Amino acid sequence: MKGKTQRVSLVIVLAVAVCGQAFGLHQVVPSHHVHRAPRRRAHFRRILWNPVFRPSRDSLLRQNLEIDRLELPRIQNQAELDQLIARQELVPIVAGQTLRFDPRLDPDRRYCRPWTRDFLDDLSEAYYQQFHNPIQVNSAVRTVQVQKKLRRHNRNAAPEKGETASSHLAGITVDIQRRGMTRQQVQWMEEYMMPLKDHGLVEPEEERHQWVFHVAVSGRYADWRESKTQPADQQEDAQYDESAATPNESANRDQQPEFCSGVSAFTLSTDPNAVGTSGCETNPLR
């Protein structure tokens, strides 16, 4: 009886010991509240796009009407482009301290009309004097073949034919890089071109998707530029000739539409119901 009692006691002691270890291993871990950083919503600053020279259908119409006035062809292919270059109807745009090219621009397309190059020379020189940086030309003359390829991956590109066709096809237009310019530089460009636009010498657009200044230059820019460089005595002679005109001559000149008089090339009417171009005889679309 005594031995049985001892065995029972031993079992109880062992059971208590095992249970105690089990309870010792099971510790209550205090709950800690995990503080998670609040999610920050990404805030994208919207850049207000309010250009001075907003692209429009009317602008494309004016560019094409100027091309027709000058009787310039829309260059179809590389062969026609080579012929115009050989005849020096298209001239090379020369890179230098004040002007550079987008490296992706094909050397065969670094050409434009002579008066367009005059505009680029004047603009790049003035810009460099102001900011000590060159302007960058991203595009110049194009062929119809090139324009077709461009439209396949750029839905904002102008068509290759019709009344709103790209004016690059005639070589009067260049695209000047706007991306990377400071607000001050963009404003300077706008202020530089505004008087020229008011005189109908350029038709600029600030493209939103490509971030360039698209600038079509009138054929009258060369004459205007030459008049600005004339000696003072020649300018006085021109003013004297104007004042010496008879009353009838002055009346006839005043009645002549502005586009025909040569004062402004890009200020003609784009009303499709109008006859001709502000009363001027126009050439049919090529």
Side-chain angles (χ1 to χ4, degrees):
M1 184 70 181
K2 184 177 179 181
K4 187 176 180 179
T5 302
Q6 290 177 346
R7 286 197 297 270
V8 171
S9 300
L10 181 61
V11 170
I12 294 173
V13 171
L14 290 174
V16 171
V18 171
C19 292
Q21 291 178 358
F23 283 116
L25 293 173
H26 182 71
Q27 297 180 352
V28 178
V29 179
S31 62
H32 295 285
H33 183 71
V34 178
H35 294 279
R36 294 183 179 179
R39 291 183 179 180
R40 294 183 179 179
R41 294 184 179 181
H43 293 280
F44 297 98
R45 186 184 63 170
R46 291 189 176 183
I47 300 175
L48 182 62
W49 186 71
N50 187 26
V52 173
F53 306 119
R54 185 178 293 271
S56 67
R57 184 175 185 275
D58 283 346
S59 178
L60 290 174
L61 290 174
R62 287 192 291 270
Q63 294 172 49
N64 278 274
L65 287 170
E66 173 63 1
I67 293 171
D68 292 333
R69 184 189 71 82
L70 295 169
E71 299 184 343
L72 298 177
R74 276 74 172 178
I75 305 167
Q76 297 296 313
N77 49 46
Q78 186 65 39
E80 291 187 7
L81 179 62
D82 292 339
Q83 291 176 2
L84 292 171
I85 293 174
R87 296 199 297 263
Q88 296 184 351
E89 294 182 36
L90 290 172
V91 295
I93 302 170
V94 181
Q97 186 181 40
T98 64
L99 183 149
R100 68 187 179 201
F101 291 106
D102 184 330
R104 296 170 294 179
L105 181 60
D106 190 327
D108 287 342
R109 295 195 287 114
R110 298 179 181 185
Y111 290 83
C112 63
R113 296 290 173 176
W115 56 87
T116 303
R117 187 174 67 177
D118 290 341
F119 164 78
L120 275 177
D121 289 344
D122 296 340
L123 171 65
S124 62
E125 181 65 30
Y127 186 88
Y128 188 84
Q129 289 183 4
Q130 183 71 24
F131 300 107
H132 305 289
N133 287 319
I135 62 172
Q136 177 172 302
V137 174
N138 286 5
S139 185
V141 67
R142 296 178 195 156
T143 65
V144 171
Q145 290 179 340
V146 170
Q147 192 70 18
K148 286 181 179 179
K149 293 179 181 179
L150 181 63
R151 281 175 59 81
R152 292 174 189 169
H153 59 82
N154 182 2
R155 61 184 180 86
N156 297 297
E160 72 278 2
K161 60 183 178 180
E163 62 183 1
T164 59
S166 171
S167 56
H168 285 280
L169 304 178
I172 69 170
T173 300
V174 290
D175 288 347
I176 300 168
Q177 173 85 352
R178 186 161 59 99
R179 186 182 301 277
M181 285 186 176
T182 65
R183 184 175 299 180
Q184 180 186 7
Q185 290 169 335
V186 170
Q187 182 179 359
W188 184 93
M189 290 282 289
E190 292 169 341
E191 291 175 353
Y192 181 92
M193 287 189 284
M194 181 58 76
L196 299 177
K197 177 177 170 58
D198 291 342
H199 284 82
L201 298 172
V202 299
E203 182 63 27
E205 294 181 345
E206 295 179 62
E207 296 185 5
R208 183 175 189 178
H209 298 281
Q210 301 302 317
W211 285 89
V212 296
F213 288 100
H214 167 102
V215 188
V217 185
S218 168
R220 294 194 175 96
Y221 185 87
D223 294 336
W224 173 84
R225 186 184 194 232
E226 184 179 357
S227 69
K228 300 293 287 186
T229 58
Q230 282 182 351
D233 55 346
Q234 293 185 16
Q235 294 184 17
E236 291 176 359
D237 291 342
Q239 294 176 358
Y240 174 79
D241 292 341
E242 180 74 17
S243 61
T246 64
N248 289 336
E249 289 173 342
S250 299
N252 291 336
R253 186 162 46 246
D254 291 340
Q255 293 174 1
Q256 191 178 32
E258 186 180 38
F259 177 72
C260 300
S261 67
V263 175
S264 177
F266 286 116
T267 54
L268 64 163
S269 171
T270 56
D271 183 358
N273 298 319
V275 178
T277 307
S278 300
C280 306
E281 183 180 357
T282 60
N283 298 301
L285 289 173
R286 295 179 181 271

